[in-house]
Amino acid sequence: MAIIEAQEITKVYRLGDIDLNALNGVSLRIEKGEFVAVMGPSGSGKSTFMNILGCLDKPTNGNYFLENIDIGDLNRDELAAIRNKKIGFIFQGFNLLPRTSAIENVELPMLYDGISLKERRQRAMASLKSVGLEGREDHHPNQLSDGQQQRVAIARALVNDAPIILADEPTGNLDSKTSADIMELFVKLNTKSKITIILVTHETDIAAYSKRIIKFLDGRIISDEQKKRL
Amino acid sequence: MINIPSTFRIAFRALKVNKMRSALTMLGIIIGVGAVIAMLAVGTGASKKIADQISSMGSNLIMILPGATTAGGVRMGAGTQPTLTMGDAEAIQKECLAVSDVAPVLSGVAQVVFGHQNWSTGVVGTTQSMLIVRNWQLAAGKSFTEQDVKSATKVCLLGQSVVDNLFGDMNPVGQFIRIKNVPFIVIGILTPKGQSAQGQDQDDTILIPVTTAQKKLFGTSFPGMVRTIMVKAKSTEDLAPAEKQITELLKQRHHIGPKQDNDFTVRNLTQIMQTAEQSTKVMTILLGAIASVSLLVGGIGIMNIMLVSVTERTREIGIRMAIGAKIWDIRLQFIIEALTLSLIGGVAGIIFGISGSELISTLAGWTTIISPLSILLAFGFSGMVGIFFGFYPAYKASLLDPIDALRYE
């Protein structure tokens, strides 16, 4: 059973009188435990595709199954619940809440899952520990380095035990040393915790950490290659 | 569903970030709630004062005044012609079914002496019924009786002000005082009533049997003449019938034809006071309503600032949506934030309103009464304002597209 199955997905944006085809029939299967890098120039449709994979958007046509659930059938709140339980988001700009401590940022997904304060604290603490941020739980984002902020975001993505992590250029704002650290963390999560990771990047050396590279151009997949990791 | 205590914490933190802005927004609610409480306190105080005056006057009270004299075509006004008699009073008591008690009054001002002290006061000749009609109790001693009235004994009941002026701390019961040089024995003291609606000291008075007043103090132009007659109706509903019955009876007794003017006037005092009470109540509602407008304006201030806040925090809303906030999670967050603003403003407004009405009563000398109901009302109203005016910004926030919101700079 594929964890992600996209069938002939199209996405059309209306801009005034012009229809803009962001995706022209994309089909894709991703199995549980894969580590996929999505590449392509800007405007190639990879961001649109990631938004659909992340249940932030719905396809115009075609079907998208996430763990055999047809996303097209779900309403706004049901999509929110899927994002909450199944998907951990990691963004280029970290997207942490400002003026909010690291631990409270990590607690946020559990807040929307109706988990008690005590359990939230416990699990957020454990999650921060797993990304190597023990002792930083009361720091606010502006008191943390970029790399540490991205680790907080990863802890937040992990805390609800989501089977999928969607990372949109997670190293785009980081220097090469920190980038390598973060990528090593992803590799560890993928091999040890069997988390499915889908990563958007346009740097080949970042893509090299993955096991499969999918390239987008003009709203289509132009190449999809499995590779053996060195 | 999101849990409420955590949401309150989030709201509190968000408000703390913009302290100045939150404080100014609250100010609208503070002034609104404060104004409602203070205005209701002023209105309630005025109503209470009038209600007190009604009850001190005696309930269901009707007053009969003698008619006007006509001297060379000039009518002299009510009370200038002595036309009422003890017989009238007795007839009213006997024949008017809606009447419960009747007290004839023959009064005048007289110098009163006790020991070295003297005092000028109103001396009221009446019957024992006066105490029932005016709803007057005795603080000490006993009242005079029907027998005292029949035999015109020289006994008297003193008002508290007279006691204070003549006796000081001494117990006056059993003492002799001289009214217009006539010796009277003090047999009782009346409980204090305070000021009347016209501002008169109701306790500056002496009650004596009406017959004694007629025969020993104030010479009358014909026997049995009285100045006024005070009547108590059986109930509030009986006031109008009593008025009618008295008028009919007196017309008959005074031989007044259908075309002639009455030689007496019947005044329904209770009705007059009740009208005054009614108008104060209307005034209270009016004051409260005007003050509520400022609360409403405060609410608009909250909505304004919440709309700004939603725009500023678009990205935050996007993040929350991406990690699983549902429509009502976002709505509740902003509604609770507005509610927090208005409730904190409400509490501060209550303090402001209470001290404001204290200030009014000190500076203007008005009676102000802060009822718990008005506090509850103002507080509840401010909460409702918060929810009402918080809803639209919250609704707007909840409908943002998560992708656009995440991209918002």
Side-chain angles (χ1 to χ4, degrees), chain B residues 122-397:
Chain B
V123 177
V124 177
T126 185
T127 64
Q128 68 286 352
S129 299
M130 180 56 115
L131 296 184
I132 301 162
V133 172
R134 294 287 318 270
N135 190 25
W136 225 336
Q137 263 83 45
L138 288 170
K142 56 182 176 55
S143 170
F144 50 77
T145 59
E146 207 179 336
Q147 191 53 50
D148 287 319
V149 176
K150 267 190 189 139
S151 46
T153 50
K154 287 178 272 182
V155 293
C156 66
L157 304 174
L158 301 187
Q160 191 59 47
S161 301
V162 178
V163 173
D164 292 345
N165 281 295
L166 288 183
F167 291 90
D169 291 335
M170 233 176 107
N171 178 13
V173 177
Q175 301 289 338
F176 277 94
I177 60 169
R178 300 174 80 85
I179 305 172
K180 273 193 169 175
N181 262 338
V182 182
F184 279 79
I185 185 165
V186 179
I187 60 167
I189 301 168
L190 299 162
T191 49
K193 268 180 177 295
Q195 282 187 1
S196 73
Q198 289 77 33
Q200 279 170 340
D201 180 2
Q202 298 182 88
D203 301 320
D204 191 6
T205 191
I206 296 175
L207 300 189
I208 59 172
V210 62
T211 42
T212 320
Q214 287 164 342
K215 289 170 188 159
K216 308 271 165 46
L217 289 186
F218 313 115
T220 54
S221 39
F222 56 90
M225 183 204 103
V226 295
R227 183 95 180 76
T228 53
I229 300 172
M230 291 184 117
V231 175
K232 183 186 175 73
K234 278 183 175 147
S235 68
T236 312
E237 291 74 46
D238 282 324
L239 274 170
E243 208 179 329
K244 197 160 167 262
Q245 288 165 10
I246 292 164
T247 310
E248 289 303 314
L249 180 72
L250 290 184
K251 266 186 166 177
Q252 210 181 330
R253 284 178 60 85
H254 294 194
H255 310 291
I256 294 163
K259 294 252 167 87
Q260 279 177 287
D261 283 344
N262 290 342
D263 63 354
F264 60 92
T265 316
V266 179
R267 273 200 205 148
N268 186 337
L269 293 184
T270 300
Q271 203 173 41
I272 293 167
M273 292 301 275
Q274 276 168 346
T275 311
E277 194 183 20
Q278 211 57 48
S279 57
T280 354
K281 275 187 183 145
V282 171
M283 184 191 78
T284 308
I285 293 167
L286 205 68
L287 283 174
I290 292 168
S292 313
V293 172
S294 62
L295 193 53
L296 211 67
V297 174
I300 294 168
I302 287 189
M303 175 143 88
N304 197 1
I305 232 59
M306 290 308 294
L307 283 171
V308 172
S309 176
V310 166
T311 309
E312 278 179 356
R313 287 150 68 195
T314 301
R315 199 181 175 82
E316 176 194 324
I317 295 163
I319 296 170
R320 289 180 185 276
M321 284 176 166
I323 60 176
K326 298 188 175 79
I327 291 173
W328 270 100
D329 291 333
I330 299 292
R331 278 184 200 168
L332 271 184
Q333 182 187 337
F334 284 95
I335 289 171
I336 284 180
E337 203 170 306
L339 188 66
T340 308
L341 266 178
S342 65
L343 289 188
I344 296 174
V347 171
I350 288 170
I351 298 165
F352 176 70
I354 291 172
S355 37
S357 52
E358 290 293 323
L359 203 70
I360 289 170
S361 74
T362 318
L363 292 186
W366 295 350
T367 321
T368 57
I369 293 169
I370 298 156
S371 68
L373 186 74
S374 75
I375 290 178
L376 218 65
L377 202 81
F379 191 65
F381 199 40
S382 74
M384 267 158 52
V385 161
I387 292 173
F388 184 78
F389 288 103
F391 187 81
Y392 176 66
Y395 174 79
K396 236 183 107 180

Side-chain angles (χ1 to χ4, degrees), chain A residues 76 83-84 95 104 112, chain B residues 13 315 320-321 323 400:
Chain A
R76 225 182 133 111
R83 291 197 295 270
N84 185 255
N95 276 344
E104 281 171 313
Y112 295 119
Chain B
R13 180 153 350 122
R315 199 181 175 82
R320 289 180 185 276
M321 284 176 166
I323 60 176
L400 286 172

Side-chain angles (χ1 to χ4, degrees), chain A residues 53-147:
Chain A
L53 285 192
C55 299
L56 288 165
D57 207 351
K58 284 203 224 179
T60 311
N61 276 307
N63 295 315
Y64 167 36
F65 297 93
L66 191 149
E67 287 191 326
N68 284 349
I69 302 163
D70 189 347
I71 297 306
D73 288 346
L74 302 183
N75 67 27
R76 225 182 133 111
D77 277 353
E78 287 164 336
L79 287 176
I82 293 276
R83 291 197 295 270
N84 185 255
K85 304 287 281 178
K86 305 284 183 199
I87 301 164
F89 287 94
I90 292 162
F91 304 92
Q92 180 177 2
F94 320 132
N95 276 344
L96 298 175
L97 295 188
R99 294 175 291 264
T100 306
S101 66
I103 192 154
E104 281 171 313
N105 264 293
V106 176
E107 278 178 28
L108 217 52
M110 293 184 280
L111 182 70
Y112 295 119
D113 197 20
I115 289 167
S116 73
L117 180 67
K118 201 178 153 203
E119 195 188 336
R120 293 207 305 262
R121 276 283 128 103
Q122 255 170 10
R123 278 167 57 182
M125 208 65 130
S127 194
L128 277 171
K129 196 177 166 188
S130 74
V131 298
L133 281 179
E134 215 174 357
R136 308 275 170 151
E137 50 280 343
D138 292 327
H139 286 54
H140 285 206
N142 57 4
Q143 298 167 311
L144 295 167
S145 72
D146 287 353

Side-chain angles (χ1 to χ4, degrees), chain A residues 20 39 44 78 99 105 108 118 126 142 177 181 195 205:
Chain A
L20 192 82
M39 301 185 75
S44 62
E78 287 164 336
R99 294 175 291 264
N105 264 293
L108 217 52
K118 201 178 153 203
N142 57 4
K177 166 81 178 60
D181 291 345
I195 294 172
D205 51 337

